[in-house]
Amino acid sequence: KASDTPIYFHSGKSLSMKRPRTRTGQTPLLADPIHPASIPSRAFQGARDARSFEEQDQVLTFTTDSLLEPIEITGQVRAHLYVTSSAADSDFIVRVSDVYPDGRSILIVGYVLRARYRKGFHKEVFMKSGKVHQLKFHVGWMSQIFNKGHRIRVTVACTGAPFYEPNPNTGKTLTIDFPVDSIIARNTIEHNRRHASHIIAPIRSQSEQ
């Protein structure tokens, strides 16, 4: 049986099971729909080296230290993000990968949430500038053993085209043709004592294995 365990984001783009203790931790994240980060695929890439995406300017990575022993994650992974935005709407992409000792970052799962639908697809709730908003969403199902010496990485971005169609960020009605009045959203990912962004990972204990 796997137990749900929070894995927290920290300043310095590190990832840990310890909750942040600082009061003021956050990392900026730009969402530019005209010049989006690139995921050059129309289908989920899966089990490929994700560094070409992770190294782009509009992409954040949070990574654990090298593991001292294997860790098994089996079940549904969920994201709990605390964010602010200058825009009424923006997308938030979360991906999980297995980082090998040679640096390869092998993608396992990933998903996206459009912030206006954070309360469900039955209604639209727009963000307010300067306010911290909580986003909870499914990232994917997985069963993976992260071996000793490997690292767990969580990638956060707001664009990844053409796989994810960019969000105009205006909050206006979405149309088939991309609007000419799209705007850049200046977002932040909060990772502090009060607003501790994290993923929930079903970790299987070593004693059960």
Side-chain angles (χ1 to χ4, degrees):
K1 181 180 178 181
S3 59
D4 285 347
T5 303
I7 304 178
Y8 296 100
F9 303 172
H10 287 260
S11 298
K13 299 184 180 179
S14 64
L15 199 65
S16 170
M17 293 180 187
K18 295 182 179 179
R19 188 181 182 92
R21 295 182 179 181
T22 60
R23 295 184 179 181
T24 57
Q26 60 179 209
T27 301
L29 180 59
L30 200 68
D32 185 346
I34 302 302
H35 304 97
S38 174
I39 300 178
S41 176
R42 293 290 185 180
F44 182 71
Q45 293 177 306
R48 293 184 181 180
D49 194 341
R51 284 178 293 181
S52 62
F53 176 66
E54 296 168 354
E55 293 170 356
Q56 295 177 56
D57 290 340
Q58 299 177 32
V59 179
L60 302 177
T61 58
F62 297 86
T63 311
T64 65
D65 292 333
S66 295
L67 299 177
L68 300 179
E69 61 180 20
I71 289 180
E72 178 184 338
I73 297 179
T74 296
Q76 183 187 39
V77 177
R78 292 164 286 153
H80 288 196
L81 300 184
Y82 291 91
V83 306
T84 66
S85 181
S86 63
D89 192 25
S90 191
D91 292 348
F92 293 88
I93 302 164
V94 174
R95 308 189 340 158
V96 179
S97 60
D98 183 349
V99 182
Y100 282 60
D102 63 7
R104 286 176 297 150
S105 180
I106 304 303
L107 176 64
I108 304 171
V109 292
Y111 206 61
V112 62
L113 175 68
R114 185 151 288 188
R116 69 168 71 191
Y117 298 124
R118 65 188 182 278
K119 301 295 185 180
F121 290 107
H122 62 290
K123 62 179 179 179
E124 297 178 329
V125 181
F126 297 103
M127 295 186 289
K128 296 180 180 179
S129 180
K131 181 179 179 181
V132 177
H133 302 277
Q134 185 180 31
L135 312 179
K136 295 182 179 181
F137 60 103
H138 161 85
V139 177
W141 293 87
M142 62 184 289
S143 184
Q144 177 80 5
I145 293 177
F146 296 83
N147 285 318
K148 179 180 179 180
H150 288 223
R151 294 176 291 159
I152 301 170
R153 174 169 292 164
V154 175
T155 302
V156 183
C158 293
T159 58
F163 183 52
Y164 296 113
E165 182 180 8
N167 190 331
N169 301 327
T170 61
K172 296 181 180 179
T173 301
L174 300 172
T175 58
I176 295 177
D177 295 324
F178 197 76
V180 297
D181 61 347
S182 64
I183 62 173
I184 295 174
R186 301 184 184 280
N187 304 325
T188 65
I189 305 300
E190 303 286 320
H191 42 76
N192 50 67
R193 185 170 63 189
R194 183 176 181 184
H195 300 113
S197 292
H198 59 281
I199 63 166
I200 299 292
I203 294 179
R204 187 174 181 182
S205 70
Q206 290 297 306
S207 61
E208 292 172 340
Q209 294 181 53

